[in-house]
Structures are given as structure tokens and as C-alpha cells.
Amino acid sequence: PLPALTPKFSNILDQVCIQCYKDFAPNIIEDQAREHIRQNLESFIRQEFPGTRLNLFGSSKNGFGFKQSDLDICMTIDGLETSEGLDCIRIIEELARVLKKHSGLRNVLPITTAKVPIVKFFHVRSSLEVDISLYNTLALHNTRLLSSYAAIDSRVKYLCYTMKVFTKMCDIGDASRGSLSSYAYTLMVLYFLQQRNPPVIPALQEIYKEPKKPEILVDGWNVYFFDKIDELPACWPDYGSNTESVGELWLGLLRFYTEEFDFKEHVICIRRKNLLTTFKKQWTSKYIVIEDPFDLNHNLGAGLSRKMTNFIMKAFINGRRVFGTPIKGFPKEYPSKMEYF
Ligand code: CTP
Ligand code: MG
């Protein structure tokens, strides 16, 4: 059992969480630089492919970006609603051919074998890695969903940054190396905040003023959610009821995923408040099950091996111990890597 959280230690935990945000969030200049890169690439590509449009998504736009986060860009073509009938692989190859002529880029590489084909490259002046995908429309909507959650309460932002720092330190935050994506961990934080009693955030997909939930179909999925965050106090009865500090919530989150949440039984699902069972989804072969809020057939934990699952669970158990053990003062630096055993 962990010792009780003293006010003094609780205060240190608050500061640690807030510091994660301050140390890693981009400033206004860095945010503008991302927008400039987008514009510059769009104009460059339009010289050969008029009608090309580039949109930023992912952590450049969802409110949980790091200074060093990659630049996720979604390409669309004016006048075309969907990618239906497009030869995406050929377009990605053509795009790579065009971008190779851009003097500010290095290592331009088309990746056409992945589930979502992309062109990957390095932007020299900013030292940022860039990924361009085609018609990744649902990702544009989940980016907007996450940014709406970030706008509800500053504790959402602090906790999501702390979670990202934690997962990077523990080496469990890289889907391309077999663990989970930042996006998946953000969903875990949001789910915890919805399930907390009283909740810190609602399930935005369940709030609507109309008699029936509106339906906005994209790629066959309903992407509706309540996005008028300034009207939330009037539409969500629990608004403002949770007054816990960030540090308390962070420790609460580590406890939730190590002691309370039943991974075998339940799905991490932010689209609704009611519990969803792994049985109902027929997702019983994996231990960590995270449902995408729009693409309901997508389990973000589907790619985890048994070994990686254990590694992730151990990181949380150790995190709970490390953050739950009182220290005297504010820690001087980030650990280069968390200890596991
Ligand atoms: N995405 C998704 N489904 C996934 C993985 C990613 O829809 N299984 C979308 C999300 O909109 C996500 C974006 O792709 O935000 C970019 O993914 P990624 O770069 O992995 O995460 P970021 O949220 O951008 O975080 P980071 O700062 O680590 O780049
Ligand atoms: Mg990203």
C-alpha cells in the first residue's frame, strides 16, 4: 500500500506535471513554423499538381504536441471528397518524386507497404520529421476531438503531456517499434478522466441538443461530437464538479490502470460513458484493448505482442511506485530512462 498523499507531496506532483507541459510544448513561434512549412510544401507541390491541399493533423493540432513531434500532414485534392478510385500508391510515389526536388528536404521516402501509405522526409531548417498521407479524413476528425477535450480543462492538457513524457521515458510510446502510439495513450488519459468520480470531462460524442444524436458520416462512421466547448457548462451537469489537483489525478491514473481497471473485461472506449465489454466487441484475444472513437472496428492495441503488453503493464506498475513514493523537493531533471525491475 502507498503512503497517504500529503499536501506537500501532492504539490510537488502538481509541479512535475505542469513542468512536463512547460518543458515540451512548442511556443507560438514554433507553432507558426509548422504552419509555414505546411504552406511552403503546399505551394511547392501545387507547381506540379494544382488543386493539392495540405492539412495539418495529429499533435501539431490536437493540443498535445511536443517541440520535436513529427509534422503529420494529410493531402487532399480540390473537388474530390474521398480517395475512392484514386491510385493512392502511385500518387504517393509521384509525390515523393516531386518532393525530392525540394532543396530544403532530405531522405524523401515513399512508404507504400504500410496500412496508411505515406511519404516520409526530414525538413532540414526545422529538424522536423514530416509524414504526408492521403485522405486520412478520420484522423482530421479525431484531431479535432482531442483538441476539444484539451480545451475543456487545463488538467487534461497537463495529464496528457505527463503521460507522453512518461511513455517516452519508459520506451513504451512508439507504435512503429511494437508499442502503442501517442494517440492511444492520449485516449487512455481521456478515458480515465471520463470514468473518474466525479468525472473531469464528459463523453463529447454523447452530448447533443437535438432530440436525436446528429449523424455526420465520414468513411461510413459517425464523426459527430459536441464541439461548442463554451456551451458545455449549460449542457453537462457534471461540469466543474471534479476539483482534484493534477498531481492527484496523475497518481489516480497510475492507480486506475494498475489496480482498478479490468483489462480482461473492459474496453478503453471514450465515445460513451457506459462500460463496454471486450466480449461484446469480440476483442478477447488481446489484453490491452483501446477502441478508436470513430473507427469502431479499430483496436489500437491490436498490434501488441504478449511480451510488449507485459512490458507496458510493468512500466505502469513501476510508475505508480515511483510517483507514489514521496520525495522532499522538486526533482532536478528527467530520468534518462525509468528503471523497470
Ligand atoms: N492516428 C490514428 N490512428 C492511429 C494512429 C494515429 O488516427 N492508430 C492519427 C491521430 O490523429 C494522431 C495522428 O494520426 O494524432 C498522428 O499520429 P502520431 O504522429 O503517431 O501521434 P501524434 O498524436 O501526432 O503524437 P506525436 O507528438 O507523438 O507525434
Ligand atoms: Mg505526430
Side-chain angles (χ1 to χ4, degrees), residues 57-60 69-72:
F57 70 100
S59 68
S60 309
S69 283
D70 64 351
L71 202 67
D72 301 294

Side-chain angles (χ1 to χ4, degrees), residues 39-249:
Q39 269 174 26
N40 169 273
L41 292 172
E42 188 178 75
S43 323
F44 188 82
I45 298 167
R46 277 188 187 185
Q47 292 172 2
E48 284 201 41
F49 298 122
T52 299
R53 196 165 295 277
L54 299 186
N55 293 289
L56 289 179
F57 70 100
S59 68
S60 309
K61 283 280 166 200
N62 66 19
F64 309 119
F66 279 31
K67 290 177 193 297
Q68 317 90 317
S69 283
D70 64 351
L71 202 67
D72 301 294
I73 296 180
C74 167
M75 177 177 142
T76 55
I77 299 157
D78 284 348
L80 273 183
E81 269 290 316
T82 68
S83 62
E84 229 171 291
L86 284 183
D87 184 347
C88 291
I89 291 183
R90 216 205 77 227
I91 295 175
I92 287 291
E93 282 165 351
E94 285 289 302
L95 191 60
R97 183 184 58 74
V98 173
L99 290 169
K100 276 181 181 156
K101 294 188 260 184
H102 192 304
S103 61
L105 313 177
R106 295 283 179 274
N107 311 334
V108 178
L109 191 68
I111 301 176
T112 51
T113 49
K115 202 181 81 179
V116 180
I118 56 169
V119 186
K120 226 181 168 42
F121 52 88
F122 180 72
H123 183 265
V124 178
R125 226 171 81 88
S126 63
S127 296
L128 292 177
E129 202 56 55
V130 186
D131 284 355
I132 303 185
S133 50
L134 280 183
Y135 284 90
N136 204 347
T137 319
L138 283 175
L140 297 176
H141 289 277
N142 69 40
T143 295
R144 240 173 17 89
L145 177 69
L146 265 46
S147 99
S148 299
Y149 278 116
I152 295 176
D153 188 309
S154 58
R155 292 173 294 174
V156 175
K157 189 176 65 186
Y158 295 135
L159 285 171
C160 288
Y161 273 89
T162 306
M163 182 70 141
K164 263 171 104 161
V165 173
F166 175 73
T167 58
K168 303 283 178 205
M169 295 276 159
C170 299
D171 232 352
I172 55 169
D174 187 347
S176 68
R177 290 196 295 127
S179 51
L180 291 170
S181 63
S182 308
Y183 175 59
Y185 287 112
T186 301
L187 297 178
M188 286 178 75
V189 176
L190 298 177
Y191 180 74
F192 160 75
L193 294 173
Q194 290 174 335
Q195 297 297 325
R196 194 71 169 166
N197 187 17
V200 179
I201 54 174
L204 289 174
Q205 286 162 275
E206 285 186 321
I207 298 183
Y208 42 87
K209 290 175 171 171
E210 301 77 359
K212 226 175 125 265
K213 177 171 164 173
E215 195 166 65
I216 306 166
L217 289 182
V218 170
D219 294 346
W221 301 106
N222 189 3
V223 297
Y224 168 82
F225 66 91
F226 187 80
D227 62 357
K228 300 172 213 72
I229 299 308
D230 49 326
E231 294 174 28
L232 201 58
C235 304
W236 182 45
D238 281 319
Y239 187 88
S241 334
N242 185 301
T243 56
E244 290 175 279
S245 75
V246 192
E248 279 176 287
L249 288 170

